[in-house]
Amino acid sequence: MSSRRSRVSEEEINELISKLQSLLPEARRRGGGRASAAKLLKETCNYIRSLNREVDDLSGRLSALMATMDNNSAEAEIIRSLLRS
Amino acid sequence: MQATKSFEQAFLKQMLLGIQLSAVSHGSGSLQERKSAIKLSADVAMAVARGSKKWTRGLIASLSKEEQNRSFLQFVLGKEFERPAKICHSSWKIPRSKNIVRRSLRFLSKRKSNIRAPNSSVLAGTLVEKRTQVLKRLVPGGQSMDAFSLLDETLDYAACLRAQVDVMQKLMTTLEASKHRADSDAQRPKEKFHLLPMVGSWYSTRKGLRKRLSKRPKLTL
């Protein structure tokens, strides 16, 4: 590690950890005091996995939807206007 | 990174451009192909909209490992993508420089002795180590990150993922709503064309798309 990294303090780590904790959706957080690092890591991993699944699912639905759009549809117009902006 | 409006806008635009682009080549493909194309557009758009971070570079690198993604990546990223040593080489993960080897060895030896690690008391313990390994696999480019970078990049990556989901969801909702309105209004029979002709009417040639994408996004790799 570079010399800058080796001076990373306990405090900086704690700060990142509490930021991570506040990033997780409400339901996943443990109320009150600081969660253990292990629990937090687990929740973070689960959160990332579920977000990836959502993207996957949305990709499928979007591709199905787009396949049925025609040139004159309002949806096509929406996309065109989004690209113009 | 705070998931800002400008990130979401940049992401949306980049994704829609990418979808158009892939419609040219995959427009008449299978459902699975089209789904993968959209996911690829979404991921590349996310990386491009975010700019240069460890995870964005890691994401592009892992996407480029798959043959079917390469032409898309090449088109969108242009010259940046062509730097072979960093991305395309299948063994790019293997440390080549002395510094990287030194850093890796130091990090590995620190894992063994919890007491010596700078991030000791907070991140010590085998359960934490195990889960850190899992996180490293989930965050693109995570394998080569030290613990601090990993946490930092994770924060950034998760925020961007969240924004990616939100934007795609909003797009979905908007399109579905308009389709629903159109379907319930429609008295006349409607012909459903494929995405390909729709793209074709906006940009009649690949050249048109190239012009559109001529402002290459700057993703330093």
Side-chain angles (χ1 to χ4, degrees):
Chain A
M1 299 210 222
S2 71
S3 56
R4 187 175 78 85
R5 283 281 178 259
S6 63
R7 282 199 290 273
V8 166
S9 63
E10 196 78 17
E11 202 177 292
E12 284 173 289
I13 297 284
N14 283 331
E15 197 185 309
L16 278 182
I17 285 182
S18 64
K19 276 190 188 154
L20 258 177
Q21 202 175 354
S22 43
L23 182 76
L24 297 176
E26 200 63 50
R28 300 194 126 113
R29 287 193 236 167
R30 298 287 173 261
R34 207 168 63 76
S36 75
K39 246 182 208 161
L40 183 70
L41 283 171
K42 180 176 120 177
E43 294 303 335
T44 305
C45 290
N46 288 340
Y47 184 51
I48 290 180
R49 273 192 283 250
S50 80
L51 287 172
N52 278 322
R53 274 198 303 270
E54 277 195 73
V55 172
D56 204 65
D57 176 64
L58 282 164
S59 299
R61 288 164 59 198
L62 271 172
S63 76
L65 185 74
M66 286 181 164
T68 64
M69 284 195 296
D70 66 54
N71 274 336
N72 305 313
S73 66
E75 301 92 69
E77 183 51 43
I78 289 172
I79 292 185
R80 279 190 283 262
S81 67
L82 284 170
L83 284 168
R84 275 196 295 265
S85 60
Chain B
M1 187 210 85
Q2 306 298 341
T4 61
K5 194 140 197 266
S6 65
F7 170 79
E8 294 195 342
Q9 279 171 345
F11 165 70
L12 176 62
K13 203 158 186 176
Q14 193 66 39
M15 181 176 68
L16 289 174
L17 285 171
I19 288 174
Q20 270 184 274
L21 171 59
S22 46
V24 172
S25 37
H26 296 286
S28 45
S30 68
L31 191 68
Q32 187 55 44
E33 259 178 49
R34 282 182 278 126
K35 174 184 165 178
S36 304
I38 292 204
K39 181 151 202 311
L40 177 64
S41 300
D43 284 343
V44 173
M46 180 173 65
V48 164
R50 182 61 188 97
S52 200
K53 290 282 286 180
K54 283 185 184 161
W55 69 264
T56 60
R57 294 192 291 272
L59 179 59
I60 301 291
S62 59
L63 288 173
S64 68
K65 282 189 187 145
E66 303 196 31
E67 190 66 51
Q68 74 260 24
N69 296 340
R70 298 235 180 116
S71 56
F72 179 86
L73 283 165
Q74 179 116 38
F75 201 82
V76 173
L77 296 174
K79 278 212 182 92
E80 289 298 328
F81 183 66
E82 279 157 30
R83 283 205 245 154
K86 296 231 165 160
I87 299 124
C88 299
H89 204 291
S90 58
S91 60
W92 78 283
K93 266 197 230 167
I94 300 169
R96 287 178 180 269
S97 89
K98 276 195 191 146
N99 278 336
I100 296 173
V101 175
R102 234 181 272 138
R103 263 188 271 149
S104 308
L105 287 174
R106 236 180 276 155
F107 183 63
L108 286 170
S109 67
K110 271 168 185 165
R111 278 191 58 216
K112 286 178 193 157
S113 99
N114 292 327
I115 305 144
R116 274 184 55 224
N119 326 319
S120 50
S121 62
V122 179
L123 296 179
T126 29
L127 188 56
V128 168
E129 277 170 13
K130 249 202 312 190
R131 293 191 173 155
T132 305
Q133 288 311 305
V134 174
L135 186 61
K136 277 177 167 229
R137 284 197 295 273
L138 285 173
V139 174
Q143 297 291 0
S144 53
M145 290 181 201
D146 61 87
F148 184 84
S149 300
L150 180 65
L151 287 180
D152 195 46
E153 296 283 318
T154 300
L155 261 171
D156 199 85
Y157 176 57
C160 288
L161 270 181
R162 176 79 256 168
Q164 182 186 45
V165 166
D166 286 345
V167 172
M168 287 175 83
Q169 184 64 64
K170 278 181 212 161
L171 178 65
M172 190 71 214
T173 308
T174 309
L175 295 176
E176 269 179 340
S178 123
K179 189 178 195 315
H180 181 75
R181 269 197 302 276
D183 284 352
S184 58
D185 288 349
Q187 293 305 310
R188 53 182 164 76
K190 218 171 159 180
E191 267 186 18
K192 308 271 188 219
F193 292 112
H194 211 275
L195 184 62
L196 186 53
M198 174 178 78
V199 171
S201 76
W202 299 343
Y203 304 97
S204 50
T205 57
R206 205 172 153 84
K207 202 172 167 195
L209 262 171
R210 213 176 259 282
K211 266 198 199 152
R212 183 84 198 184
L213 287 167
S214 62
K215 263 198 194 161
R216 284 264 162 70
K218 300 246 183 254
L219 181 69
T220 1
L221 293 156

